[in-house]
Amino acid sequence: MEYLNYINGEWVKSVSGETFESKNPANERVIGKFQKSNEEDVKVAINAAENAYENWSEMPAAKRGEILFRAADLLMKNKQKLGKLVATEMGKVLSESLGDVQEAIDVTYYMAAEGRRLFGHTTTSELRDKFCMTIRVPIGIVGCITPWNFPTAIPSWKIMPALICGNTIIFKPSSDTPLCAVEFVKILVKAGVPKGVLNLVTGPGGTVGKEIVKNKKIRGISFTGHRNTGKWILQNAGIKRIGLELGSKNGIIIMDDANLEIALDGVIWGAFGTTGQRCTAASRVIVHKKVKKKFENMLVNRVKKLKLGSGLNPGVDVGPLINKAALEKVTSYVEIGKREGAKLLIGGKPVKVKGKGYFFTPSIFTNCNIDMNICQDEIFGPVVAIIEAKNFDDAIKKINSVDYGLSSAIYTENIRYAFKAMKKIEAGLTYINSSTIGSEIHLPFGGVKQSGNAREGGIHGIDEFSEIKTIYFDYSGRLQKAQIDTS
Ligand code: UN1
């Protein structure tokens, strides 16, 4: 089946006349054909977004909110169907796929209700008979460029706040999960988003993404994806609002006083949930030397029991990687780790399930040094590196010894360590006695260092998609001069 772009309220073919395929990563079967769009398609979409802008941005935000409430209801109604689609096209296990859709539902209700808030603030003036306040105005046309690992949640993190704030949108989803994007857009259309407000353009980053980034009519970009693409966007976008959510190399610290059973659950979930394909995945475990051996044994025993397979099959713990290139990348990192002198405790192999699919066995390296590539580079697969720490200060130094800083965790029963870690770990998120994954939608989400510059979620999502405008209202009936009329 061939799927189309959605531009100016209509499902249309790309001017290129070309298509690309999306595959189920568990069995390599083709799911559908999608438009391999180019720069021209983006320009047409920008035109539509420009024409729709006046009407949409002038619509009372509460009315836009009503459309979002309907979208949230529809997402809820279609949760099972969408969840199955996520499991099929992206590959993660069904419970996580349903969680992906639930995250979209939560964001949509939250942002719908913002229609009756969108607060600015009022403050005093240094002059008499003058009133000061801020209001929120939309940015304009924004580009939302999204990854495949959360194919409904991440588009909703961007598109819902962008809509409620009154922006019009060009949406470019990952070419690994275009069908999830098509179904998501269908729901928003059904909910009543007017024509031209939300435009879906599928296709490569090199054409569609590039035009979105470079086109001057686009005033804001929100991107989640690879660090190198983020850098390229910063260098090529010109002066725009740019929100970047990039990669990471998240660590979990396990102190000698930790409850190791809870820590074990956290490491398994953080490292192998979503097959390690989250920007919040735990790919380093920094464990106190006193409990290292014991924890390694516990971890290996648990990993032996993890079942690989299609995300749609009940009882499966770990789904496939997203595609062949990902499988090759993860395989090559295991070779790198071995060459660097790390010891592979378990896993390390690409495998097929029923003769098909991009599966990789959950893998644990130990005796790792922090400067090894397997401790520095984002692998985005089920590979975890164990690093020994001498004490708390050493653990903090090691967790911070990477370029990235998105998520982090510490397992300890010692309140002093917990409070110190909250401040000392360089990351946008720190979990105490919980894994590195599982952010909630009303709290800010985003990284420091090379993990990006944005905060999404909750009111911070509204900040990302609105301009704060300052209003000075002088009712004195004469010219008053700030900083000069001081007496
Ligand atoms: C991502 O991997 O890009 O906290 C986002 C979490 C999810 C979001 C992950 N709610 O892991």
Side-chain angles (χ1 to χ4, degrees):
M1 163 119 182
E2 182 173 336
Y3 294 89
L4 304 175
N5 285 334
Y6 185 73
I7 298 175
N8 203 22
E10 280 173 44
W11 293 95
V12 292
K13 285 192 181 235
S14 160
V15 296
S16 74
E18 291 177 51
T19 58
F20 66 95
E21 291 174 347
S22 168
K23 281 185 189 167
N24 176 335
N27 60 22
E28 300 165 51
R29 250 182 246 145
V30 174
I31 287 174
K33 285 187 176 164
F34 298 84
Q35 302 306 304
K36 190 172 177 184
S37 313
N38 63 23
E39 292 85 346
E40 284 314 305
D41 298 299
V42 176
K43 285 183 190 151
V44 175
I46 290 174
N47 248 337
E50 205 174 15
N51 291 335
Y53 182 72
E54 165 102 12
N55 192 32
W56 182 244
S57 58
E58 289 295 328
M59 182 187 284
K63 287 269 168 244
R64 294 196 294 261
E66 285 170 18
I67 296 174
L68 261 61
F69 274 121
R70 279 201 292 278
D73 290 346
L74 285 168
L75 285 167
M76 184 102 108
K77 213 171 124 199
N78 289 284
K79 181 174 169 183
Q80 294 298 325
K81 189 181 128 201
L82 292 168
K84 277 193 189 134
L85 174 59
V86 171
T88 308
E89 195 177 34
M90 183 273 157
K92 60 188 162 188
V93 297
L94 188 57
S95 59
E96 290 183 34
S97 299
L98 290 167
D100 192 315
V101 181
Q102 187 60 46
E103 205 164 324
I105 295 168
D106 296 341
V107 173
T108 309
Y109 278 123
Y110 182 102
M111 291 302 166
E114 269 303 315
R116 290 188 182 271
R117 287 189 289 262
L118 289 182
F119 297 133
H121 66 260
T122 61
T123 182
T124 58
S125 169
E126 65 184 50
L127 296 164
R128 284 168 195 270
D129 297 332
K130 194 175 168 193
F131 182 80
C132 304
M133 65 181 164
T134 65
I135 60 169
R136 288 181 188 274
V137 294
I139 294 172
I141 306 172
V142 296
C144 297
I145 307 177
T146 60
W148 45 265
N149 65 339
F150 280 82
T152 51
I154 293 181
S156 75
W157 289 4
K158 302 182 191 304
I159 289 170
M160 300 313 172
L163 286 174
I164 200 70
C165 291
N167 302 282
T168 55
I169 300 166
I170 313 298
F171 171 29
K172 182 221 166 308
S174 161
S175 296
D176 282 305
T177 49
L179 186 52
C180 290
V182 165
E183 293 302 328
F184 181 76
V185 168
K186 275 193 199 160
I187 283 189
L188 281 159
V189 172
K190 207 168 165 194
V193 172
K195 73 170 193 176
V197 170
L198 173 62
N199 302 280
L200 170 72
V201 186
T202 58
T207 52
V208 178
K210 191 168 153 197
E211 183 63 30
I212 292 175
V213 169
K214 292 201 162 187
N215 196 299
K216 278 200 184 130
K217 289 185 175 172
I218 300 235
R219 303 268 294 272
I221 306 264
S222 180
F223 169 76
T224 299
H226 198 278
R227 171 177 62 170
N228 295 348
T229 313
K231 272 190 193 159
W232 187 89
I233 291 174
L234 279 183
Q235 285 156 2
N236 289 276
I239 298 172
K240 291 185 172 72
R241 286 278 291 271
I242 298 172
L244 302 174
E245 298 285 6
L246 309 175
S248 195
K249 191 70 185 173
N250 312 293
I252 295 184
I253 294 176
I254 300 173
M255 291 305 294
D256 51 344
D257 57 68
N259 178 325
L260 293 186
E261 288 296 333
I262 304 177
L264 179 62
D265 286 342
V267 170
I268 294 284
W269 176 226
F272 306 121
T274 326
T275 319
Q277 303 173 107
R278 293 194 188 213
C279 55
T280 50
S283 51
R284 297 180 299 144
V285 175
I286 296 142
V287 57
H288 194 285
K289 62 178 185 213
K290 275 197 202 153
V291 291
K292 176 169 173 265
K293 194 84 223 139
K294 184 173 178 196
F295 190 74
E296 273 173 13
N297 289 335
M298 290 165 74
L299 193 55
V300 169
N301 282 334
R302 183 73 83 78
V303 168
K304 275 184 195 154
K305 294 188 191 126
L306 294 177
K307 199 168 164 242
L308 288 185
S310 158
L312 286 167
N313 288 347
V316 163
D317 301 296
V318 182
L321 290 165
I322 187 68
N323 55 33
K324 196 157 168 265
L327 190 67
E328 284 165 5
K329 180 180 171 191
V330 176
T331 310
S332 80
Y333 265 103
V334 169
E335 291 315 310
I336 291 171
K338 287 183 194 160
R339 271 207 305 278
E340 290 180 312
K343 183 176 164 201
L344 186 66
L345 289 177
I346 189 167
K349 284 188 292 290
V351 285
K352 305 257 176 216
V353 173
K354 295 191 187 132
K356 294 271 178 212
Y358 311 120
F359 296 92
F360 198 86
T361 50
S363 311
I364 303 169
F365 275 112
T366 191
N367 300 347
C368 302
N369 295 324
I370 194 66
D371 50 4
M372 290 176 174
N373 286 304
I374 55 162
C375 295
Q376 290 289 328
D377 300 351
E378 183 177 50
I379 299 174
F380 228 61
V383 182
V384 62
I386 298 179
I387 302 157
E388 182 178 296
K390 290 197 280 284
N391 51 37
F392 177 76
D393 288 340
D394 189 39
I396 294 289
K397 195 171 135 223
K398 285 177 174 157
I399 203 169
N400 288 340
S401 296
V402 287
D403 290 338
Y404 295 105
L406 179 57
S407 190
S408 57
I410 180 167
Y411 283 85
T412 180
E413 299 292 306
N414 183 327
I415 202 162
R416 287 196 299 276
Y417 290 151
F419 268 91
K420 278 190 182 168
M422 281 189 231
K423 276 204 185 161
K424 290 212 175 288
I425 297 178
E426 295 168 357
L429 309 156
T430 294
Y431 291 85
I432 315 292
N433 290 329
S434 177
S435 193
T436 52
I437 66 182
S439 61
E440 301 180 27
I441 66 93
H442 54 297
L443 280 104
F445 179 93
V448 301
K449 295 158 86 177
Q450 294 196 18
S451 289
N453 60 7
R455 288 293 176 275
E456 299 185 296
I459 190 66
H460 301 273
I462 297 293
D463 287 340
E464 189 181 5
F465 288 98
S466 58
E467 299 282 7
I468 304 278
K469 185 167 188 187
T470 308
I471 311 286
Y472 295 108
F473 196 125
D474 192 315
Y475 55 96
S476 66
R478 63 200 159 86
L479 176 65
Q480 299 197 89
K481 299 184 192 125
Q483 295 93 36
I484 293 170
D485 297 347
T486 49
S487 54

